[in-house]
Amino acid sequence: CGNLKIRFLNLHGKELKAFVAPICISAQTSMLAKKFEKPEIPMSPEEGFVRIELSRGTESIANDAFLAQWKSFELPCPKVSISSNSLGDGRFAATALAEEAPALFLCLNAEGIRGEFNDNCVTLLPGAPLTLTFCSKSKDTTLENFASSLKSWHLRMTYK
């Protein structure tokens, strides 16, 4: 058993409405946890998105639902900063922080360094830092190499 949290967020990441409830579901099953009628939705489809979070203890998982096509949104351009540190043994942490607006579909890349991030193409909400772990395939990678190779992009950057 755990907790379900459904949040309606505007395009600046401000919570417009939230629904929180305990939930129990068996493995390998699905269920309708909550149905919202149109009058309960506090925004038009192009004005925001829905963040769905499941948590149990210290574990959590989240996903986003968009009620309109991504390119129909008038997305503000978020300011994203990334800091990094070494975790040892060829592993590095990259912590991203968005200001003013969510960075939707944020992707990180360590250009020129062979390796993998533990997650990518994520939603970064304003004021909620997110740390991704990078495992280098080369033991010669230094923190300086990793930090200078980091590049990021998000959905808003694909708009012309």
Side-chain angles (χ1 to χ4, degrees):
C1 292
N3 289 304
L4 170 66
K5 186 174 191 180
I6 301 172
R7 299 189 304 158
F8 293 88
L9 304 173
N10 72 13
L11 297 177
H12 289 277
K14 180 182 176 197
E15 186 177 287
L16 303 175
K17 183 177 185 174
F19 168 82
V20 180
I23 189 168
C24 286
I25 185 169
S26 302
Q28 306 299 317
T29 62
S30 63
M31 66 181 281
L32 175 63
K34 174 69 177 158
K35 182 178 180 179
F36 291 93
E37 299 296 335
K38 257 188 174 179
E40 297 176 278
I41 299 172
M43 64 201 176
S44 71
E46 296 84 12
E47 293 177 333
F49 60 101
V50 183
R51 178 96 171 154
I52 304 155
E53 304 167 22
L54 287 171
S55 61
R56 184 181 68 187
T58 59
E59 298 175 317
S60 67
I61 188 166
N63 205 346
D64 302 314
F66 297 90
L67 306 177
Q69 294 179 349
W70 303 314
K71 294 286 183 149
S72 68
F73 291 102
E74 293 290 332
L75 292 176
C77 194
K79 295 176 184 171
V80 176
S81 59
I82 302 172
S83 61
S84 57
N85 65 303
S86 177
L87 302 174
D89 200 28
R91 296 176 335 122
F92 301 89
T95 301
L97 179 65
E99 295 178 31
E100 299 176 16
L104 302 176
F105 300 99
L106 176 74
C107 295
L108 298 183
N109 187 35
E111 288 189 355
I113 299 177
R114 291 182 337 110
E116 295 178 2
F117 283 95
N118 67 319
D119 200 359
N120 225 332
C121 205
V122 296
T123 297
L124 185 60
L125 296 175
L130 179 65
T131 300
L132 302 178
T133 302
F134 180 81
C135 293
S136 176
K137 297 200 186 256
S138 169
K139 298 297 178 196
D140 297 333
T141 305
T142 66
L143 176 58
E144 293 76 25
N145 296 115
F146 176 70
S148 65
S149 74
L150 276 175
K151 305 289 183 251
S152 68
W153 64 96
H154 49 76
L155 181 62
R156 180 62 179 87
M157 294 170 75
T158 67
Y159 285 29
K160 290 185 178 184

